[in-house]
Amino acid sequence: MRKVKSRKYKKQKLILLLVAIVLGFGCVVRSFNTYMEPQLQAIAKQHTGFAINNIVKEVLADIEYDTDALFKINRTKNGDITSIEYDSYKLNQLLYSALNTIDKSLLAAQDGKKDPTTKDVFYEDGVLYEVPAGYLSHIFFLYDKGPKIRVRMRMLNDVTGEIKTESKPYGINNTMIKISLVVKVNAQVITFLSTSELETKTEIPLVVQIVNGQVPDFTPYSSSSGK
């Protein structure tokens, strides 16, 4: 009789212990989701944005183009600027070439593959960043402790962008001509517990040139791509 009661008592203790473990684990998960997960996503988004911008800049640095062929400055006999003509065809060629190249590079980076332009692997195994779990506690001596939480990304659609032109007075009787490429990327930020969407916008100067003379008012060239 005592043995039966002893077994029942042990069984009840085991059940209570299991319930306590499950409840404790649930509290930990709930606490993590309400307090730490927003921090984790903020850090993940920040480093994903850094990664995308770095890849865009690295890839564009290897793209070759003739800056003098992108625009033409028309002057009077006295040397005054009458107008600036942008070569729409060449600017559009540059735009689509750059967007296609960036798109391929980002797809390679998310899978941890070799970049088709630079021939480098930007991120091994597609891991953009690793956050120590202790960092989320905001306790100084735990900042670099605990398991590493990996941050990855996935492209949600093709890279889009546009060419922007600008001319403005610079110094005395000079004008600054600037042609920039604006790149927009929509990506999914992934951690082991959740995902979120991130939209980044990077503006890269393609041409920055100072010319002598004032440029009259004119409608600047504008081109965009919804590729």
Side-chain angles (χ1 to χ4, degrees):
M1 189 72 177
R2 287 183 179 179
K3 287 184 178 181
V4 173
K5 287 184 177 180
S6 177
R7 286 177 183 174
K8 285 184 178 180
Y9 180 69
K10 287 181 179 179
K11 190 175 181 180
Q12 288 174 349
K13 282 182 66 178
L14 181 60
I15 292 172
L16 289 173
L17 180 61
L18 290 174
V19 170
I21 291 173
V22 170
L23 290 175
F25 181 75
C27 289
V28 170
V29 171
R30 184 176 179 182
S31 175
F32 185 88
N33 284 335
T34 56
Y35 176 68
M36 293 187 176
E37 179 59 18
Q39 297 180 65
L40 177 59
Q41 274 299 321
I43 295 169
K45 282 186 175 182
Q46 182 184 44
H47 285 278
T48 301
F50 289 158
I52 291 172
N53 288 337
N54 287 337
I55 292 170
V56 169
K57 291 175 182 177
E58 286 277 347
V59 170
L60 285 180
D62 286 347
I63 294 179
E64 296 182 358
Y65 55 93
D66 183 2
T67 57
D68 293 332
L70 299 179
F71 66 97
K72 178 184 177 183
I73 300 174
N74 298 316
R75 297 177 181 269
T76 64
K77 292 181 179 180
N78 296 327
D80 297 325
I81 298 174
T82 57
S83 64
I84 298 177
E85 296 179 11
Y86 292 96
D87 192 320
S88 300
Y89 176 73
K90 289 182 179 177
L91 284 172
N92 282 327
Q93 270 192 325
L94 177 58
L95 173 64
Y96 285 102
S97 173
L99 294 182
N100 279 323
T101 302
I102 292 168
D103 195 58
K104 291 176 182 177
S105 293
L106 289 173
L107 289 173
Q110 76 176 15
D111 295 327
K113 296 179 179 178
K114 185 180 291 186
D115 185 85
T117 301
T118 65
K119 307 305 179 186
D120 296 325
V121 176
F122 285 115
Y123 299 100
E124 291 289 342
D125 298 323
V127 178
L128 307 181
Y129 190 69
E130 292 183 329
V131 185
Y135 181 85
L136 302 174
S137 68
H138 292 288
I139 300 174
F140 177 74
F141 59 86
L142 294 179
Y143 261 33
D144 58 348
K145 306 298 182 184
K148 300 291 179 66
I149 302 171
R150 294 182 172 184
V151 177
R152 301 176 184 271
M153 73 169 179
R154 283 285 159 191
M155 301 295 295
L156 292 178
N157 49 36
D158 291 336
V159 177
T160 60
E162 62 180 339
I163 293 285
K164 286 178 59 178
T165 63
E166 179 185 10
S167 65
K168 60 183 179 181
Y170 185 84
I172 301 174
N173 198 37
N174 291 322
T175 296
M176 175 186 287
I177 298 173
K178 185 177 180 181
I179 302 176
S180 302
L181 172 64
V182 180
V183 179
K184 299 174 185 177
V185 178
N186 288 321
Q188 190 177 48
V189 182
I190 304 170
T191 65
F192 80 103
L193 278 181
S194 65
T195 62
S196 61
E197 292 186 13
L198 174 69
E199 181 178 335
T200 68
K201 183 178 179 181
T202 308
E203 183 169 337
I204 309 293
L206 301 175
V207 178
V208 178
Q209 186 170 323
I210 309 299
V211 296
N212 181 256
Q214 296 292 333
V215 178
D217 294 335
F218 68 99
T219 303
Y221 166 86
S222 178
S223 175
S224 63
S225 169
K227 180 181 117 19

